[in-house]
Each structure stands twice: as C-alpha cells, then as structure tokens.
Amino acid sequence: MAGDGEFERDRSYITTRITADGRDGYPVEPGRYRLIVARACPWANRAVIVRRLMGLEGVLSMGVAGPVHDERSWTFHLDPGGRDPVLGIERLQEAYFRRQPGYPRGITVPAIVDVPTGEVVTNDFERITLDLGSQWTAHQRDGAPDLYPQRWRDEIDDVADKLYRDVNNGVYQCGFATGQKAYDKAYRALWERLDWLENRLGGRRYLVGDTITEADVRLFPTLVRFDAVYHGHFKCNRQKLTELPALWAYARDLFQTPGFGDTVDFEQIKAHYYVVHSDINPTGVVPRGPDTSNWLSPHGRERFGGRPFGEGTPPAPPPSAERVPPLGHAAGERGA
C-alpha cells in the first residue's frame, strides 16, 4: 500500500519464457509443462481462455487450484488427497520454492511449471497468453484464431494498457484502498474508463478490429466478475454491468462464444473473494446472488457483423475433466 492508502500491485514476475527456439532454456515441448490456474482468478482466466482457443489441451496440461487459500499460497484442496495429480504438491508455493528457495514475492496464478523439475518457469500473466498464441503454433489446433494480428498490435497494446490501468487493476485499487482519497481516485478512473468502453462498444462488436483479440481476452474476466464480486465487495457500485447496455451485451456475446463462458465458475469466483478477503468481508459470508441465468440471454451483437474467430473456427468443447458446472450449479472441480 502507498502512504495514502492506494493499492499498489507487485508486478515483479518470473519472466522466463517458453519459446519455440528455447532461447531462455525452456523450449516448447508437448507434455513437459503444466499450466496452474484458479477458476477464481481473473488473471488466470485469461490463460485458460487462450489455451482453449488455441486448442492446446492435449499438449499443455492444466492444474486447477481451489478458490480458497491462506497467506502461504494457492492449494490443490479440490484434488484427491489435496495434491495436484501431476506435480504431487499440496501448495503452488512448493513449485516456486523449487525454482527459488524462499521465493519472497507473491505466489500467483497463472503459473507454468516444468513437470520434470517441478519448478515454476513463469508467472508473467501478460506474456503467458501472448506466448501461447505465438510460440506454440506448431501444436495449436487447426482453425486457431490469431489473437494478436500484426496490423492491429499497436491499437491492441494501447487498449490493453488502458484496460489494465483503469479496469483490470482498477477494481482492485477500489477494493483494497485504505483511504478515502485513494478510493475516490480509483473509482473515478474506473468509471471514466467503463464509460469510454461503453461508448466504444456501442457501435462495434469487438474492442479492436472485427475479430476477438487479446484485448477482448483481457477485458472479459473483469466484466464477468463485475456484478458477482466487484460491484459490492470492491465498492465499484455506481452501476451494475447489467445496467450498461453496450458492455452488458458485449460481455454476454463473449460469454456465449466457445472458449469464454465455458471457463467461468461463478461459485468458485465468489468463494475466493468473499472468503479470502477477510479484511473486507470479515464474516466470510458468501452471497447467494446474483442470478447468472441472464448470461445466456440474447445479446443482439450480431448486427455489428464481425467474425469472432477471424479465418479460424470455434474450439471443441472442453475436456470432460475441465468442464465447469452449468450456470446455477455449485460443484468442485479437478485439474486435467
């Protein structure tokens, strides 16, 4: 926290990359690595979406940490015996410590672990999704979309920077602010940007160009958590997402697109925020609402045209072990 109560995110990540040429010592190899995520976490949600869209389920396995953790780390309490079935560990912290004993920074998801050594390779969430799209091309499915097309990269980067500063991280700056001025500043920036997005999406289907791009992947996880968590729990309560016509329709459009809504578990999302953030919600009571059935209502965004996957095709349904419960159903989940 800054002196005025402003939340400051530690962005000192392990930036080693897994690349096609192995320049950092970690070459792309089917079956060698395991993507560790939590369904609750928006930053991890991005990686789950891109892995689905690229069709990498058969070459990059995925472990799912449970939604509730303590100060030491994410745990695999949803798996049999409370251990990840591939890595054999109870806490993600163990993989970080194998990379760097006593690792002093945040134990975050997403993280990619080198299975033979049990060491975390990277937890750089921004780079992970870009590299899944660009470095794993030899193993992507036929019809995998280009989420970072060369002709749109400058605009994608500009939009993504605005999203991170004011929206993706902005909701946390509201929720974790410990001073009124810090909260007011974050609240204003958040809603100025959401108004900007409402206007931008009022006449176009996607954020950049006429297909889904990295920019949409980065916005969706925040929007899908907005009414369930950020509106009340993080005090981002000027309006609900459902009260913003363009953004609400846009979010439903993506939710109903294969690879997006089928990665979302609302029960795990709520369990994480309302239980883990005991300083914000000391009772640990998890709200029953909101009703999520409206995520499947017609969105009408087809009128703007656009091709969700560009020259590509939708991904196949997720593997049975990775399917999330249907809307309105609470259930546990295991990694693949």
Side-chain angles (χ1 to χ4, degrees), residues 192-242:
E192 286 173 2
R193 186 61 60 200
L194 288 175
D195 287 341
W196 178 82
L197 287 166
E198 177 74 7
N199 182 66
R200 184 181 183 92
L201 290 166
R204 59 192 304 164
R205 191 168 183 182
Y206 303 111
L207 283 171
V208 180
D210 64 350
T211 64
I212 292 168
T213 68
E214 181 79 16
D216 302 292
V217 171
R218 296 188 185 195
L219 179 57
F220 174 77
T222 301
L223 294 184
V224 83
R225 288 160 175 77
F226 199 88
D227 286 4
V229 176
Y230 302 142
H231 177 269
H233 184 60
F234 276 1
K235 308 178 185 71
C236 303
N237 59 354
R238 192 192 80 181
Q239 291 166 278
K240 296 178 181 177
L241 177 65
T242 54

Side-chain angles (χ1 to χ4, degrees), residues 25 41 54 74 81 92 121 136 162 170-171 177-178 208 236 245 269 319 321 329:
C41 174
M54 299 298 112
W74 298 90
L92 181 56
V121 177
W136 292 72
K162 291 181 172 69
V171 294
T178 58
V208 180
C236 303
I269 289 169
H329 293 74

Side-chain angles (χ1 to χ4, degrees), residues 21-36:
D21 62 7
R23 72 191 74 148
D24 285 2
Y26 292 94
V28 169
E29 292 182 17
R32 175 173 172 177
Y33 306 100
R34 187 158 175 81
L35 174 66
I36 303 299

Side-chain angles (χ1 to χ4, degrees), residues 40-307:
C41 174
W43 317 101
N45 198 173
R46 302 176 177 192
V48 180
I49 290 168
V50 174
R51 175 177 171 270
R52 284 269 295 117
L53 296 180
M54 299 298 112
L56 294 172
E57 294 94 335
V59 297
L60 177 62
S61 70
M62 186 172 77
V64 181
V68 179
H69 63 75
D70 59 22
E71 68 279 359
R72 287 180 290 171
S73 130
W74 298 90
T75 66
F76 297 98
H77 59 267
L78 299 180
D79 286 301
R83 291 182 178 272
D84 179 85
V86 173
L87 300 174
I89 59 177
E90 295 180 345
R91 295 177 177 274
L92 181 56
Q93 184 185 61
E94 297 175 54
Y96 278 82
F97 283 1
R98 287 178 184 173
R99 173 68 185 265
Q100 182 182 339
Y103 182 78
R105 297 189 292 275
I107 308 297
T108 62
V109 288
I112 298 182
V113 178
D114 180 39
V115 175
T117 63
E119 298 178 358
V120 167
V121 177
T122 180
N123 65 336
D124 186 350
F125 65 87
E126 290 185 346
R127 192 72 249 173
I128 285 172
T129 56
L130 292 172
D131 282 349
L132 290 180
S134 65
Q135 300 299 313
W136 292 72
T137 53
H139 306 286
Q140 292 170 2
R141 66 180 178 88
D142 292 338
D146 183 359
L147 299 177
Y148 197 47
Q150 186 67 46
R151 68 185 183 280
W152 296 113
R153 286 187 183 179
D154 288 347
E155 188 173 355
I156 292 170
D157 290 345
D158 178 64
V159 170
D161 180 68
K162 291 181 172 69
L163 293 178
Y164 173 80
R165 183 184 65 242
D166 300 330
V167 180
N168 303 142
N169 195 50
V171 294
Y172 286 86
Q173 290 183 308
C174 288
F176 291 149
T178 58
Q180 190 68 49
K181 289 184 178 179
Y183 166 75
D184 289 347
K185 177 183 176 183
Y187 181 92
R188 284 193 299 271
L190 168 68
W191 282 103
E192 286 173 2
R193 186 61 60 200
L194 288 175
D195 287 341
W196 178 82
L197 287 166
E198 177 74 7
N199 182 66
R200 184 181 183 92
L201 290 166
R204 59 192 304 164
R205 191 168 183 182
Y206 303 111
L207 283 171
V208 180
D210 64 350
T211 64
I212 292 168
T213 68
E214 181 79 16
D216 302 292
V217 171
R218 296 188 185 195
L219 179 57
F220 174 77
T222 301
L223 294 184
V224 83
R225 288 160 175 77
F226 199 88
D227 286 4
V229 176
Y230 302 142
H231 177 269
H233 184 60
F234 276 1
K235 308 178 185 71
C236 303
N237 59 354
R238 192 192 80 181
Q239 291 166 278
K240 296 178 181 177
L241 177 65
T242 54
E243 296 168 345
L244 301 168
L247 273 167
W248 173 225
Y250 163 83
R252 298 201 315 280
D253 187 3
L254 289 180
F255 188 91
Q256 295 168 36
T257 299
F260 285 82
D262 55 28
T263 70
V264 175
D265 187 322
F266 283 107
E267 295 305 318
Q268 291 200 27
I269 289 169
K270 290 191 296 182
H272 170 71
Y273 286 91
Y274 287 101
V275 173
V276 172
H277 300 161
S278 57
D279 52 339
I280 299 176
N281 185 42
T283 65
V285 173
V286 180
R288 291 292 184 185
D291 178 13
T292 56
S293 62
N294 53 2
W295 280 95
L296 298 179
S297 62
H299 53 75
R301 300 281 291 179
E302 302 92 340
R303 69 185 187 278
F304 295 125
R307 302 163 299 148

